[in-house]
Amino acid sequence: MQMRGGGGEVEVKRVFIGAGCNRIVNNVSWGASGFVSFGAHNAVAIFCPKSAQIVATLPGHKSVVNCTHWLPTSKFHFKAKQLEQHYLLSGDADGSIILWELSLADGKWRQVLQLPQMHKKGVTCISGIMVSQTEAMFASTSSDCTVCVWELVFPMTGSGDCKLSCLDSFSIGSKSMVALSLAELPGDDGQIVLAMGGLDNKIHLYSGGRTGKLVHACELKGHTDWIRSLDFSLPINVNGEVNNIFLVSSSQDKGIRIWKMALSCTMLNGNGVYKKGEISLSSYIEGPVLLAGSSSFQISLESLLIGHEDWVYSVMWQPPLVSSIEGDTYYQPQSILSASMDKTMMIWQPEKTSGVWMNVVTVGELSHCALGFYGGHWSPNGDSILAHGYGGSFHLWKNVGNDNWLPQKVPSGHFAPVTDISWARSGDYIITASHDQTTRIYAPWKVEASLQDGEFWHEISRPQVHGHDINCMAVIHGKGNHRFVSGADEKVARVFEAPLSFLKTLNNATLQKSCSSDDILGNVQILGANMSALGLSQKPIYVQAVHEIPERSGIDGIDTLETIPDAVPTVFTEPPIEDQLAWHTLWPESHKLYGHGNELFSLCCDHKGELVASSCKAQSAAVAEVWLWQVGSWKAVGRLQSHSLTVTQMEFSHDDNFLLTVSRDRQFSVFSITRTGSGEINYSLLARQEGHKRIIWSCSWNPHGHEFATGSRDKTVKIWAVEKDSSIRQLMTLPQFMSSVTALSWVGLHHQRDHGLLAVGMENGQIELWNLSCNRADDGCIAAPGFAAALVVRIDPFICHASAVNRLAWKKNQEDHTSMQLASCGADNCVRVFDVTI
């Protein structure tokens, strides 16, 4: 995806999107298109399982996305052969449902329509079926205890419009439904059955025609806790007749039930009552009869599956398989996938001789992770299964033959707002911090030239897994090992240093056969880190200590909720998967920086790697002071007072002579920083000025001069200059933006001091690039009319953020000045990297 602006001068392409899945049941859907959809905060994210990359995010929802559903899903892959467009439904916590269209030919997305607002509260489930190539039916339910049934007619050609109609809407009492499944009943009547389950522990069946109202047909009792998932099979061949469909249900009672619905051969007797043909053993265990049109269906409990040790959040029938060589006929496999909070997925199939349903495959593990999977999904051809878990993570297994299911690479990312982002000193990776209490490292994993896949970005390390929400971080730019400082909702900043296992993994990712900094590798004696019991400090694992770890006895090895596994620091030769990232890629904590009176809010490091500045949440001048820390000794060497409220962002000038701070008090301050020959730090306040009418959220220096930009909630960006006499002069104000300005980053062009690009991120998720240029006098000062700004590109909304942009960062020291990389993070849980071609 790309977009041009400014007369075709600048082109922006998506390089990478990282995001975690919302931790909500029914959030994920695997479509017949081969793509997987999921909610990432208020964005709908689309990922390709083959490349393990997120390819698009769809903006439009105002609140958290609760559920997504493809039309057609993987179950109706066999009806989607001729479709040029596939459709996606997404429902959010406000009750809104949006219909999206994907054009398979060019991969372009568009928002088709927003459904009429029938639900007053959050949408909890959407389930649909393909009635024909161009017609679909779907049902939606909400926590307002209403269920709506919709009909959707797709256009015959790509240029037509979809026709949507609400067939029925009804209330289902005081206990809401959280699981739905639709199916066409066998027979010639064209009857539809809708199963729903929820908080009353019963399964309710409704039936009716395709266009008429649905009527309550019967109830199925048996579960002893909330119903969590329902799924109808397609008609299954039993004794040569395809007159049966099966319904599978799962519950918080840890059990799975399979219900058989058989088309009855009994006829009405003269009194209009159904007459049984014979009395048999099965008649005593048969359940209710479902009446649908002129047909009736005898319901019975086919099987009760016990095997999971916690709530079973999802069950799903395997999608149909080809039954003929020509590939035009399909059959429903008797195979069910279940996913549970016990962190396992199971595949259930009937035993060939006895017909008893058995657990034939188990993936995942009954592990130390206290909470497990929210849902499981089949790929369209049934050779892969996907789970999404409590940590916002995906887990994918592929059957490589003979029921040998092996883990595969998947996208990963934060599952809460991403608060800060920074490029590594070398530019080899980005590091991010989030309210999900982790910091993560993403890097392009290069592959050998003989492989034509190029490079894809992946998460390669999770340096910090913490017990508090992380608000800020800063990479140390000085020489030596890779280091960063992070600040969370606590009064202490923490310093982390790269372990040997990460340095070697990074070499593998960048294809560096021999590290240019062998001295660093030789000096690092720490292999990795272990998590502490409370999840606060991370203790180092030393190289020589690895051989001394005693083996646990059998009793000690039993996992309980309280135990934390010993980390096994590993050098990865391919991108690590979730379980490896969560425990085995931690960095050791080397120092704690005490001093602030409140929770940390902002951090920055100077370009020489000598000083770190920190600020905390504040409502008074005494607390709002900025602390300066000396890198190495980590002593506090300065306390800068100027602001009266929280300092929201700070940045050192390119020559480290000035520190710029902006604050909630609507003012910015510029401090002069000087270093004496003995290494002492002297600082003084040069200027403090009210720059905007609302909170100032962001600031950025010109990388080749003493000009800087500030961005504010008042929807403006202002450009200022530090004059020779140390006064501050406003150069210009950019035209007012559509939304609050929340992030800024300024980069120089072609080493030209007088030309640059300013990236502007907004509260609505949009990012714009502005060209800044100035004409300097001989003394280096800018004449008042000599500064110009022009909008060159608005980045395509389908690769932009869906809510506030929290931070922007240009990659430093880029060798190719016609192609640069911009990283961003936002409140939509997403991390993004863009290629900007000039």
Side-chain angles (χ1 to χ4, degrees):
M1 293 185 179
Q2 61 190 50
M3 188 165 182
R4 292 180 179 273
E9 293 174 357
V10 174
E11 184 181 12
V12 180
K13 291 183 180 178
R14 166 190 57 83
V15 174
F16 169 70
I17 302 174
C21 181
N22 290 343
R23 302 188 291 174
I24 304 168
V25 185
N26 302 323
N27 193 247
V28 176
S29 180
W30 198 330
S33 60
F35 291 110
V36 176
S37 63
F38 65 95
H41 194 63
N42 65 322
V44 180
I46 311 296
F47 90 76
C48 174
K50 290 180 181 176
S51 64
Q53 298 291 297
I54 297 174
V55 296
T57 51
L58 314 181
H61 288 284
K62 301 278 192 299
S63 60
V64 172
V65 175
N66 282 348
C67 49
T68 64
H69 189 83
W70 282 93
L71 292 173
T73 60
S74 56
K75 181 192 288 189
F76 293 95
H77 178 62
F78 69 102
K79 285 191 178 181
K81 296 286 188 179
Q82 312 301 323
L83 291 182
E84 296 177 1
Q85 282 84 27
H86 285 233
Y87 295 86
L88 177 66
L89 294 157
S90 56
D92 67 23
D94 287 342
S96 300
I97 300 175
I98 296 178
L99 176 68
W100 311 87
E101 178 188 271
L102 166 65
S103 171
L104 291 184
D106 56 9
K108 290 284 174 57
W109 283 90
R110 73 180 181 96
Q111 182 177 325
V112 180
L113 54 88
Q114 182 162 336
L115 275 63
Q117 187 97 12
M118 303 292 285
H119 298 297
K120 296 182 175 63
K121 292 184 179 178
V123 181
T124 53
C125 185
I126 300 173
S127 178
I129 57 172
M130 296 293 291
V131 180
S132 68
Q133 286 271 4
T134 58
E135 188 180 354
M137 287 182 67
F138 66 93
S140 60
T141 184
S142 162
S143 46
D144 65 2
C145 301
T146 60
V147 174
C148 296
V149 182
W150 309 80
E151 181 184 52
L152 187 62
V153 179
F154 304 136
M156 295 295 290
T157 62
S159 58
D161 291 328
C162 291
K163 295 178 182 175
L164 175 80
S165 54
C166 183
L167 300 179
D168 201 359
S169 177
F170 50 90
S171 177
I172 36 90
S174 60
K175 294 193 174 180
S176 63
M177 298 290 117
V178 295
L180 297 174
S181 186
L182 269 172
E184 283 186 281
L185 287 168
D188 302 325
D189 293 350
Q191 294 288 306
I192 299 293
V193 61
L194 170 64
M196 61 181 74
L199 280 56
D200 65 356
N201 308 349
K202 302 173 190 173
I203 300 169
H204 302 266
L205 297 180
Y206 288 72
S207 64
R210 284 188 193 170
T211 55
K213 299 283 185 181
L214 295 181
V215 294
H216 188 268
C218 59
E219 294 177 352
L220 304 180
K221 300 178 182 177
H223 287 293
T224 58
D225 207 333
W226 292 5
I227 311 292
R228 274 306 189 172
S229 182
L230 296 165
D231 192 35
F232 277 112
S233 71
L234 294 174
I236 287 179
N237 188 326
V238 177
N239 299 327
E241 296 183 347
V242 191
N243 291 330
N244 306 277
I245 65 170
F246 288 79
L247 172 67
V248 62
S249 61
S250 71
S251 165
Q252 290 180 188
D253 63 11
K254 308 177 188 176
I256 300 167
R257 290 172 180 257
I258 303 173
W259 311 83
K260 180 181 177 181
M261 300 174 62
L263 182 64
S264 294
C265 300
T266 52
M267 302 297 294
L268 285 166
N269 66 14
N271 299 323
V273 179
Y274 277 89
K275 182 180 176 183
K276 298 265 184 191
E278 59 179 284
I279 296 176
S280 65
L281 179 62
S282 64
S283 65
Y284 290 99
I285 58 172
E286 284 170 349
V289 174
L290 173 80
L291 300 178
S294 60
S295 303
S296 71
F297 293 84
Q298 178 65 58
I299 302 175
S300 58
L301 179 63
E302 173 77 4
S303 188
L304 172 61
L305 312 182
I306 301 295
H308 286 294
E309 298 186 7
D310 208 332
W311 297 356
V312 185
Y313 265 133
S314 85
V315 281
M316 182 178 289
W317 288 93
Q318 183 176 339
L321 295 175
V322 178
S323 60
S324 67
I325 299 173
E326 295 80 15
D328 54 358
T329 56
Y330 291 80
Y331 72 97
Q332 170 69 66
Q334 292 201 51
S335 182
I336 292 170
L337 174 69
S338 62
S340 166
M341 263 290 156
D342 64 12
K343 207 169 183 274
T344 65
M345 283 203 300
M346 295 182 180
I347 297 176
W348 306 81
Q349 293 172 357
E351 211 253 323
K352 288 180 181 175
T353 53
S354 66
V356 175
W357 284 78
M358 306 287 288
N359 166 26
V360 295
V361 174
T362 302
V363 295
E365 54 180 326
L366 286 163
S367 75
H368 41 258
C369 294
L371 295 169
F373 296 146
Y374 279 118
H377 300 267
W378 291 96
S379 65
N381 60 5
D383 72 346
S384 299
I385 51 177
L386 176 76
H388 67 106
Y390 179 78
S393 55
F394 286 106
H395 306 258
L396 179 66
W397 289 268
K398 185 171 183 175
N399 184 4
V400 295
N402 300 322
D403 273 343
N404 182 19
W405 296 81
L406 297 181
Q408 306 294 307
K409 290 194 288 286
V410 285
S412 66
H414 295 285
F415 57 87
V418 190
T419 50
D420 211 343
I421 191 167
S422 183
W423 287 90
R425 178 187 69 222
S426 59
D428 287 332
Y429 60 84
I430 54 173
I431 184 166
T432 59
S434 166
H435 284 163
D436 70 3
Q437 305 187 347
T438 66
T439 58
R440 305 185 188 221
I441 289 177
Y442 302 91
W445 196 283
K446 297 183 171 71
V447 294
E448 300 289 352
S450 59
L451 303 173
Q452 298 302 310
D453 294 338
E455 62 181 40
F456 287 116
W457 283 68
H458 296 280
E459 184 180 350
I460 65 166
S461 179
R462 207 165 291 173
Q464 186 182 9
V465 179
H466 202 42
H468 294 290
D469 294 2
I470 302 175
N471 298 323
C472 52
M473 51 78 48
V475 168
I476 309 299
H477 293 296
K479 295 178 181 178
N481 196 4
H482 301 255
R483 289 175 293 180
F484 73 92
V485 188
S486 74
D489 273 343
E490 54 179 351
K491 301 174 185 179
V492 54
R494 298 171 186 269
V495 184
F496 295 86
E497 191 162 327
L500 196 59
S501 57
F502 171 79
L503 297 174
K504 292 182 177 179
T505 297
L506 184 63
N507 283 350
N508 292 335
T510 56
L511 287 184
Q512 291 181 355
K513 301 302 182 191
S514 59
C515 182
S516 58
S517 51
D518 281 329
D519 54 328
I520 296 178
L521 285 173
N523 291 332
V524 175
Q525 296 299 313
I526 296 175
L527 191 61
N530 261 321
M531 176 67 66
S532 69
L534 294 177
L536 294 176
S537 295
Q538 292 167 196
K539 307 300 183 187
I541 301 172
Y542 291 95
V543 174
Q544 61 270 25
V546 172
H547 309 293
E548 302 167 11
I549 296 175
E551 290 193 10
R552 290 180 169 184
S553 67
I555 296 174
D556 291 341
I558 296 174
D559 277 328
T560 68
L561 298 187
E562 291 77 26
T563 62
I564 290 177
D566 283 330
V568 183
T570 308
V571 178
F572 295 103
T573 55
E574 59 182 19
I577 58 175
E578 176 65 25
D579 283 344
Q580 295 166 330
L581 287 165
W583 301 105
H584 307 314
T585 62
L586 294 171
W587 289 21
E589 181 183 308
S590 60
H591 292 86
K592 294 182 180 70
L593 310 183
Y594 294 98
H596 285 289
N598 282 334
E599 297 92 341
L600 271 291
F601 195 83
S602 179
L603 285 162
C604 75
C605 179
D606 67 359
H607 298 84
K608 297 187 185 76
E610 296 175 354
L611 284 178
V612 168
S614 62
S615 72
C616 69
K617 296 177 183 178
Q619 292 184 320
S620 66
V623 182
E625 60 189 5
V626 173
W627 286 56
L628 294 180
W629 310 86
Q630 190 165 41
V631 173
S633 69
W634 297 110
K635 293 178 180 176
V637 292
R639 295 167 66 172
L640 284 56
Q641 293 189 345
S642 175
H643 296 285
S644 56
L645 294 174
T646 306
V647 173
T648 54
Q649 193 178 357
M650 306 173 288
E651 189 172 298
F652 285 92
S653 61
H654 70 98
D655 55 9
D656 293 335
N657 289 335
F658 300 108
L659 174 63
L660 169 65
T661 62
V662 296
S663 168
R664 285 180 176 271
D665 63 12
R666 308 175 186 181
Q667 298 185 333
F668 66 82
S669 300
V670 178
F671 296 89
S672 170
I673 309 290
T674 57
R675 297 160 178 80
T676 64
S678 59
E680 289 184 9
I681 305 297
N682 294 324
Y683 52 88
S684 62
L685 177 64
L686 278 190
R688 180 177 67 235
Q689 191 166 327
E690 182 163 327
H692 293 267
K693 296 177 182 175
R694 304 290 300 276
I695 291 173
I696 307 177
W697 282 123
S698 55
C699 62
S700 186
W701 284 96
N702 176 1
H704 300 304
H706 287 153
E707 297 77 41
F708 60 89
T710 56
S712 164
R713 184 180 278 172
D714 64 11
K715 304 179 182 179
T716 63
V717 171
K718 296 182 179 180
I719 312 295
W720 313 79
V722 180
E723 302 286 47
K724 294 283 188 183
D725 59 359
S726 299
S727 63
I728 307 295
R729 177 160 65 96
Q730 182 177 344
L731 298 178
M732 72 176 305
T733 302
L734 270 57
Q736 187 150 356
F737 291 86
M738 298 289 291
S739 181
S740 300
V741 176
T742 53
L744 294 172
S745 187
W746 195 333
V747 68
L749 294 179
H750 314 293
H751 284 304
Q752 296 180 24
R753 187 181 179 197
D754 302 334
H755 294 277
L757 272 183
L758 180 67
V760 180
M762 287 167 268
E763 195 173 34
N764 63 6
Q766 286 299 292
I767 299 173
E768 295 182 359
L769 301 183
W770 287 73
N771 191 14
L772 303 182
S773 59
C774 57
N775 293 319
R776 296 181 189 272
D778 293 337
D779 60 358
C781 295
I782 301 173
F787 200 92
L791 173 65
V792 290
V793 69
R794 283 192 181 95
I795 297 180
D796 182 355
F798 286 97
I799 58 173
C800 254
H801 292 276
S803 50
V805 181
N806 285 335
R807 195 73 85 228
L808 292 164
W810 289 98
K811 184 177 178 180
K812 300 285 195 300
N813 307 322
Q814 305 190 64
E815 296 174 4
D816 181 3
H817 292 282
T818 60
S819 178
M820 300 182 295
Q821 289 193 324
L822 172 68
S824 68
C825 65
D828 60 357
N829 306 357
C830 291
V831 174
R832 298 167 193 269
V833 179
F834 305 96
D835 256 342
V836 180
T837 306
I838 302 168

